[in-house]
Amino acid sequence: MTDSEFSDPLCLELETKLSFEESSDLGDHYEPHTSEPITVPFKNLDQVLLWKPGEDDFNVAMHPLAQKAEITDDPLTLVCHDMMGGYIDDRFVQGVPKMDCYCFYHWHYLDYFIYFSHHFVTIPPPCWTNAAHKNGVPMLGTIITEWKDGAARCQEVFQSEAAFTVFANKLVEMTTYYNFDGWLVNIENPIKPHHMPQLVDFVKYLTQRMHQAKPGSKVIWYDSVIQDGSLKWQDMLNYQNSMFFDGSDGIFLNYTWNEQKLTSSVQNAASRRQDVYVGLDVFGRNCFGGGGWNSDKAMEVIRDKKLSAAIFAPGWVYECLPKENFHDNQNKFWEEKLHRFFHPRAISSLPFISNFCQGYGKKGFRFGKEIMCKEWCNLSAQLVQPSYNNHQFKGTSSTQRMEHSLEDGCNGGGCMQLSGDVTQGEVQSFKLFHTAIGVHHPLLISFSTKQDGQADGCLVLELSSGFKIVLWSDIDKETAENQVVTPYGVHQSAPLQVTCLPDALQGENVKVFGPLVGTSHKSLEDLTLGMDSDSVNYNGWSNRYYFLPEAVFPADEKVSLIGVACYTTNTARSSYSLLVGEVRICDPSALAVASEQVSDLSCTNISWHQGPKALENSQGLTTFCGTLSWKYQSTALYFDVFCSGIEKHPNKPLSISKNEKVFVGRAYCQRFRVCHLVVASGNAPITWYVQPTSEAGMASPFSNMSRIKVIPKQ
């Protein structure tokens, strides 16, 4: 990307004094040596009471909660994440340059997620909230008091109604500001008897205020203190702790239960059986079944009683087993040992977008091109994860497999690899996503693949009635361009005869549509990329677009499943490998914000430092630190940050021209911290650019990105 590719919009200029500093210590919310933004908990009451919104914008989770199908009477599943005290690699808001971190991506099994630590008030790192929200899972923080310090803190908070009201109001304000969805209240120290009425009222007040401030939020009580203020875990719901259950959205039972206690809990919960979350400690500390690989034994009893489950510390697979086998062990734990106990609810909201990134990678991809040649991990990069895995092929003689691959990708850190063997007329079908998307307007759909030449794939939408819509891979230009031109400036997708499909896909309940071609395809491609698509090298990836009018879908139908059918034109049986890079479904009205740029771009907290000693030939080099911030009126998927005026690529081991615009990083909030970027010494200016990508996956025009020039002065 060079200067000639850009128009010359108004560029803000900022002069800054070039003076060298040893460090850029900006306070508790930044790592002191590198100045990277981090998430920190609140360790005492004063920190909570003195907190004000707006002082910690890096930790605001950006993504709204995706909607799921309505909750039925099925028992729910909650995960309480306790990982080595919390706030380890995940505390770095902008990610870390390694991939052997703990990641979670089995969100489709969960109804709630709690980020837990042993600090007084635990704020979930925004990467966890972003990942959970994109997968439709509400995120809860933790309030915990323990031991003598906890007892003293409780005396302050629960000494009066006025005291606990101020505390509760701060907690509500935090959830609203940081964009998470509620609290686990965990009081694990004795409470003075005369403070018990205030504690009970606090739980009730916090729950009511949360519901008012954030409809759908939850406050869950941990089974600990009982009615007389004693710390006595009950392992059940009974008269000793029912006052907390009555005043909140649910109770998280301690782990040392037995079947008789669960039976009593069912009776005591009456119509609120679903709100009883039975604790399962994966570390197996006095837990029924012993935890670990035997966690299914406890789950079997919990589900036999039709109670909800609270799975505590599933990071056991990372902490206690070989790190090099982490992903295999995590998949074994969730997909082989526990999957039969879950009642997944389907995502129902649009836009629906997945690039199959799990929040880490060996490298980073953008439009099929490697833009980062180093390992990384940032859960904020996760998008919707598949609802299905290779269990769908069990009991068959099929050779097909679906695997997450880190070797290639469209956007993010990887893609889905579909493989098997097939001959002409056959198909191999892969279920990807269980959904419940209602259709009340046209649908704009895109599908990105990379094939090995042996087989291709088409997207298949199954409706709630069993009807199928096949989005075929090919069409003649004349048929495609004879269709109605929509108000959005592109053609509708042409209906095709089912006879164009392989025999195995044909049927009376199938409708087939062809992809957009010509100017319709190019205009959508340009909007997606934010630039002239003719200038982009996709490295073998191809994108198809479809525009389906609302009339295609019968009234009250929902898209219940998104899958891929792989096929070949070869007459001989062929082994194939098809990469799927992205699936996207949105309301075409999302096109209206595709060109929106960020505004009020600024650069603050600037500092200059001597060249890094670890870098060869560091003499004559300087490093730059600064905070870019901006405003964006709509909801973004992410913001890409570029710069020009430097000579060493920040993400690749190569030198570059000062005129070249290079990718520096991706932000998941409306700010980005540049940390020790290597620049040439002297007064050469650095120009910063920010490109938003809308929540429907469309990048703003690259040619007129908002930018600011930082000019160092002696």
Side-chain angles (χ1 to χ4, degrees), residues 24 34-35 605-609 623-627 673-676:
S24 305
T34 65
S35 81
N605 294 327
I606 294 172
S607 60
W608 306 86
H609 308 268
T623 66
F624 169 86
C625 297
T627 299
R673 180 67 183 165
V674 182
C675 299
H676 294 283

Side-chain angles (χ1 to χ4, degrees), residues 448-461:
S448 304
T449 61
K450 189 175 188 177
Q451 54 176 298
D452 62 3
Q454 300 303 312
D456 202 346
C458 58
L459 202 64
V460 180
L461 308 181

Side-chain angles (χ1 to χ4, degrees), residues 8 22 27 123 152 154 208 210 249 276 370 374 418 450-451 528 623 673-674:
D8 190 26
E22 288 195 10
I123 301 298
C154 286
Q208 292 172 346
M210 282 300 308
D249 295 304
V276 178
E370 292 181 16
K374 60 183 180 182
L418 311 181
K450 189 175 188 177
Q451 54 176 298
T528 296
T623 66
R673 180 67 183 165
V674 182

